[in-house]
Amino acid sequence: MSNQSSRREAIKKFAAATVAVTAGNVVTGGTIERVMGEEQYKLKGNINHSVCKWTHDFLSLEELCMEVKKMGFSAIDLLTPSEWPVAKKHGIHVSMCYTNGKVSLTEGWNNKKNHPQLIAQFTEAIPLVAEAGYQNLICFSGNRNGMDDETGLQNCVEGLKQIMPLAEKHNVIIQIEVFNSKVDHKDYMADNTKWTIELCKRLGSPNFKILYDIYHMQISEGDIIRTIKQNHQYFGHYHTAGVPGRHEIIENQELFYPAIMKAIVETGYKGYVAQEYIPTGKTKEEKLAALKDAIKRCDV
């Protein structure tokens, strides 16, 4: 996967086989009917909610901004600089930013050959993020391709140290996302919290954090709540999705998100939690009702 589009398409292909089944679960479980019939839900204010754009690409960015505001929150994850003006027009915060140009999940900081391009991208992006009033900028380890973990760590440190002073100067948080390499991102190096926490320690910068994806880490290692409680100081952002299937966070999946969100709140976390599940509804209305339900389930 070499950019946002390829990430989106690959995950959609993986999801296609289970869409029909999980869509039925959403509807027959009463979720859609219940949520669509409710009045506007008032958020409690303990969680800063967001949603990832790529999982809701059945809407234009303009439409997504408007729907987000209707639901009572005001942030969208994973937008490029070219998309920021649309979000700003609607008063929507960009809770996680991409750099300009090529965004590769597989060719990341663990390989020295990628450093010149990545350093150039991040050197350009960091001041732009700060100028726009945002703070979080995503990065990726890249795939192993036969590389051992220690070499990957050393290479990441060597490359990232060249941009961290600029990030600190502009108060931008560089966030490395953890993926599972069992189901979705074969061979990805940052597929566990131990490796990424060690990277944070070696960099020694308050402006480098982990984007802790709950879905991915449930598949990779489980033990979600204890991991959050013991390591929250390294986590700067959270993503959600149901396991198995990466769909809605409803009763037919194995994670109980209210308890997870409660654990996050208890750590004192003030950042964003972004919904990154793949909707299974057949219509736009069903998909939006499911998003509203997901926000409510995570609003502890």
Side-chain angles (χ1 to χ4, degrees):
M1 295 175 235
S2 61
N3 52 41
Q4 298 172 74
S5 296
S6 59
R7 175 183 187 176
R8 180 167 62 240
E9 291 304 317
I11 295 174
K12 280 188 173 182
K13 287 177 183 177
F14 164 74
T18 56
V19 164
V21 175
T22 49
N25 287 336
V26 173
V27 176
T28 57
T31 300
I32 300 302
E33 293 86 347
R34 183 181 73 251
V35 176
M36 291 180 73
E38 290 180 350
E39 296 180 358
Q40 176 67 43
Y41 176 75
K42 302 298 182 184
L43 297 175
K44 296 176 181 178
N46 297 320
I47 297 284
N48 290 317
H49 298 282
S50 179
V51 61
C52 293
K53 172 183 174 285
W54 74 268
T55 60
H56 286 70
D57 66 349
F58 57 91
L59 299 172
S60 69
L61 181 54
E62 292 263 7
E63 291 171 325
L64 182 58
C65 287
M66 290 187 283
E67 294 296 339
V68 158
K69 293 193 77 171
K70 287 179 186 177
M71 294 182 196
F73 65 103
S74 59
I76 296 176
D77 250 37
L78 303 176
L79 298 185
T80 63
S82 64
E83 295 169 313
W84 298 348
V86 176
K88 281 186 174 292
K89 182 176 77 172
H90 291 277
I92 296 295
H93 183 71
V94 180
S95 42
M96 183 60 67
C97 300
Y98 275 125
T99 61
N100 272 315
K102 180 182 179 183
V103 179
S104 176
L105 283 65
T106 61
E107 299 174 2
W109 290 95
N110 68 341
N111 193 321
K112 290 183 180 183
K113 75 176 185 180
N114 302 324
H115 287 179
Q117 180 181 8
L118 289 170
I119 290 167
Q121 285 181 355
F122 280 78
T123 299
E124 174 194 42
I126 288 168
L128 293 178
V129 170
E131 183 180 352
Y134 308 139
Q135 189 171 46
N136 297 322
L137 184 58
I138 196 169
C139 75
F140 305 103
S141 69
N143 284 6
R144 289 184 170 87
N145 294 315
M147 182 183 297
D148 66 272
D149 283 359
E150 176 59 28
T151 299
L153 272 172
Q154 292 175 5
N155 290 346
C156 283
V157 170
E158 180 180 322
L160 287 162
K161 276 193 171 181
Q162 297 183 62
I163 65 164
M164 292 316 301
L166 185 65
E168 292 169 2
K169 175 183 175 181
H170 290 279
N171 196 29
V172 168
I173 310 297
I174 308 300
Q175 307 230 21
I176 186 166
E177 185 167 11
V178 284
F179 295 141
N180 80 79
S181 58
K182 178 180 178 181
V183 175
D184 299 278
H185 298 280
K186 302 291 185 180
D187 201 44
Y188 187 72
M189 181 165 279
D191 63 354
N192 64 88
T193 52
K194 181 179 179 181
W195 188 91
T196 48
I197 288 171
E198 179 61 24
L199 178 57
C200 289
K201 289 178 177 178
R202 293 191 188 188
L203 284 169
S205 172
N207 289 70
F208 188 84
K209 299 284 185 180
I210 298 165
L211 194 172
Y212 186 76
D213 190 303
I214 297 164
Y215 160 79
H216 284 299
M217 289 301 96
Q218 173 66 5
I219 292 172
S220 286
E221 57 192 26
D223 205 15
I224 299 297
I225 289 178
R226 182 167 62 174
T227 298
I228 290 170
K229 288 182 175 180
Q230 293 183 348
N231 303 289
H232 63 88
Q233 66 270 32
Y234 301 108
F235 299 164
H237 199 77
Y238 292 91
H239 279 173
T240 75
V243 179
R246 197 171 188 163
H247 299 304
E248 289 85 354
I249 55 174
I250 53 178
E251 289 86 352
N252 69 343
Q253 55 92 44
E254 65 194 40
L255 289 165
F256 186 60
Y257 271 95
I260 295 170
M261 293 300 111
K262 184 173 182 289
I264 290 172
V265 170
E266 288 175 350
T267 67
Y269 177 72
K270 300 300 182 184
Y272 285 86
V273 174
Q275 302 291 334
E276 200 184 20
Y277 67 85
I278 299 169
T280 59
K282 295 180 179 179
T283 68
K284 179 177 77 172
E285 289 74 21
E286 288 176 349
K287 293 176 181 179
L288 288 172
L291 175 58
K292 183 177 180 180
D293 185 60
I295 295 297
K296 185 174 180 180
R297 288 173 187 268
C298 288
D299 195 50
V300 298

